[in-house]
Amino acid sequence: MSPSRSRRQPPPDAAPALAPLRPGAPRAAVLGTGRYNPERVLTNAELATMVDTSDEWITTRTGMKERRIAAEHEHTSVLGANAARAALEQAGVDASEVDLIICATVTGDMVFPATACFIQELLGARKATAFDLAAACTGFIYGLEVASQLLEGGVHRYALVIGAEKIGSVTDWTDRNTCVLFGDGAGAVLLGQPREGQVAGPGVLASASGTDGSLAHILNIPVGGTRTPLTPENYGKNLHKLQMSGKEVYRQAVGNMVAACQDAMRKAGLGPGDIKLIVPHQANLRIIDGVAERLKIPTEKVFINVQRYGNTGAAAVAMALDEAHREGRFGRGDKILLVAFGAGLTWGATVIEW
Ligand code: ACO
């Protein structure tokens, strides 16, 4: 885990914050953020013409009003590359300088090769090592943890961490239990060592993550892998589309997200009062409210865009971070808490100092 560089004393019950980085040591500063939202808007009213649902049900149960759906030619790699270009542009770094591309996704272009490879080609990032990270909605958080360790270990200088999903392509559009919840999009950050004279905060301070594979069955795409291949016989059952026990996922979400946040803050030597903004996974407004309430973080410190984009899987936190950044919701020196949970089950939280 990355050393903490907080100047605050840790709370009394916390594990001691880690020693500061030695001067000149490699860093995982956030140098740029970006996102890409497909143009096509799918509203609750339009969904109500497709399945037996209503704007009222979707709004009160989830907080969602609309979501974006990618065009046919906008593969997951295209969404991810567009978000990455925006992050590189903001950072003033050329794609040819990028050493590492991690694409968090569970809706990749193909079973293999990795979507990150297609992104590398689209960006012209010829020297980058590129691979995917499959941790569903937590993928971007896991990706930040992996990339920051590789940067701080001196293995790489610039890493793109991308969350990109085309969940609409694996959605059963006849199932009202799931089809109202998801959308497409991508977000990205460029982590790296600031150039001489470039002002950038320490970046990733601490992370905490977890997995519970015994709950893999409550959210998955059961057919189409090597366990149960897609056949003409099982095709009509739509089991190659996303399946979810919404209530069970809901039950697991708040507790695991809160625990991850507390753990990450403890490792960074921080408490909820030190956090300028929490950027949570955008799966359901009630889940977000529950997490904020349990952490005693006031609503104005919680970034929410679920009403406009729905749940975009691994892209959600990355997109929300970029939106909050470009809206000026935080600045140099602020501590930001990112948190997500998803299929696996997986969960994780990361504290970033900007
Ligand atoms: N419109 C109208 N009625 C609906 C709809 C809909 N779109 N969907 C379900 N209903 C009905 C159900 O059939 C049920 O009817 P019944 O009582 O007659 O059986 C009723 O509404 C209530 O359903 P519940 O499941 O009790 O609704 P709940 O309040 O739990 O909300 C929801 C459902 C929104 C799915 C919620 O459980 C949730 O958000 N769960 C978490 C899901 C999640 O976050 N998933 C993403 C994880 S991230 C990842 O890795 C992709």
Side-chain angles (χ1 to χ4, degrees):
M1 188 48 49
S2 58
S4 166
R5 279 135 287 187
S6 162
R7 266 162 250 110
R8 274 181 57 92
Q9 288 302 307
D13 61 341
L18 302 173
L21 279 181
R22 50 190 200 286
R27 289 161 60 184
V30 182
L31 303 177
T33 66
R35 72 176 185 282
Y36 178 72
N37 309 121
E39 263 178 42
R40 160 99 163 91
V41 176
L42 177 61
T43 63
N44 289 352
E46 199 177 341
L47 279 164
T49 67
M50 298 159 58
V51 289
D52 182 13
T53 190
S54 64
D55 175 49
E56 197 271 333
W57 191 96
I58 301 170
T59 306
T60 51
R61 299 290 174 129
T62 70
M64 295 170 193
K65 299 299 275 185
E66 58 188 43
R67 63 289 294 144
R68 302 295 178 96
I69 301 297
E72 205 172 324
H73 66 276
E74 289 180 314
H75 314 304
T76 304
S77 59
V78 174
L79 307 180
N82 288 345
R85 277 190 204 100
L88 288 168
E89 192 183 330
Q90 191 180 71
V93 171
D94 193 81
S96 62
E97 298 176 78
V98 173
D99 304 293
L100 174 69
I101 300 172
I102 298 178
C103 180
T105 187
V106 287
T107 52
D109 286 21
M110 295 182 185
V111 172
F112 72 86
T115 298
C117 301
F118 294 115
I119 293 175
Q120 188 232 35
E121 172 65 9
L122 286 168
L123 296 177
R126 302 299 300 176
K127 77 167 177 179
T129 300
F131 62 87
D132 285 358
L133 198 158
C137 305
T138 319
F140 179 70
I141 302 274
Y142 278 18
L144 289 177
E145 191 172 5
V146 171
S148 65
Q149 291 298 297
L150 290 171
L151 293 171
E152 291 179 7
V155 179
H156 298 299
R157 175 168 182 156
Y158 291 123
L160 272 169
V161 182
I162 301 164
E165 301 280 15
K166 196 169 173 179
I167 303 191
S169 65
V170 297
T171 297
D172 178 353
W173 291 104
T174 65
D175 176 13
R176 71 175 183 175
N177 291 294
T178 54
C179 76
V180 303
L181 301 174
F182 298 97
D184 302 335
V189 298
L190 181 75
L191 296 180
Q193 182 83 1
R195 292 181 204 283
E196 210 167 302
Q198 191 177 18
V199 184
V204 176
L205 293 184
S207 303
S209 53
T211 300
D212 184 352
S214 73
L215 294 172
H217 60 282
I218 67 175
L219 178 52
N220 60 17
I221 297 180
V223 163
T226 55
R227 187 181 289 214
T228 314
L230 184 62
T231 61
E233 290 71 40
N234 64 27
Y235 180 80
K237 295 180 182 159
N238 269 352
L239 294 173
H240 58 296
K241 302 289 183 181
L242 187 149
Q243 311 290 316
M244 180 175 71
S245 311
K247 247 189 185 4
E248 286 188 59
V249 175
Y250 193 102
R251 234 176 261 137
Q252 297 293 328
V254 176
N256 286 321
M257 290 170 85
V258 167
C261 287
Q262 288 169 334
D263 205 11
M265 287 190 288
R266 182 182 55 77
K267 286 175 177 171
L270 301 172
D274 301 306
I275 300 299
K276 173 76 175 183
L277 190 72
I278 174 167
V279 181
H281 179 42
Q282 308 285 317
N284 184 316
L285 187 56
R286 289 184 294 155
I287 293 175
I288 295 173
D289 286 345
V291 170
E293 197 182 311
R294 293 258 303 266
L295 289 173
K296 298 192 170 50
I297 290 183
T299 323
E300 61 272 16
K301 285 183 162 191
V302 184
F303 191 79
I304 295 167
N305 64 9
V306 68
Q307 67 281 10
R308 277 177 281 124
Y309 304 121
N311 179 351
T312 54
V317 171
M319 281 167 50
L321 181 66
D322 178 65
E323 198 169 331
H325 184 211
R326 287 174 194 261
E327 278 180 13
R329 294 286 300 270
F330 55 84
R332 191 69 59 225
D334 287 334
K335 279 74 165 193
I336 316 301
L337 176 61
L338 312 180
V339 60
F341 76 99
L345 290 184
T346 56
W347 57 87
T350 295
V351 184
I352 293 176
E353 181 174 336
W354 217 259

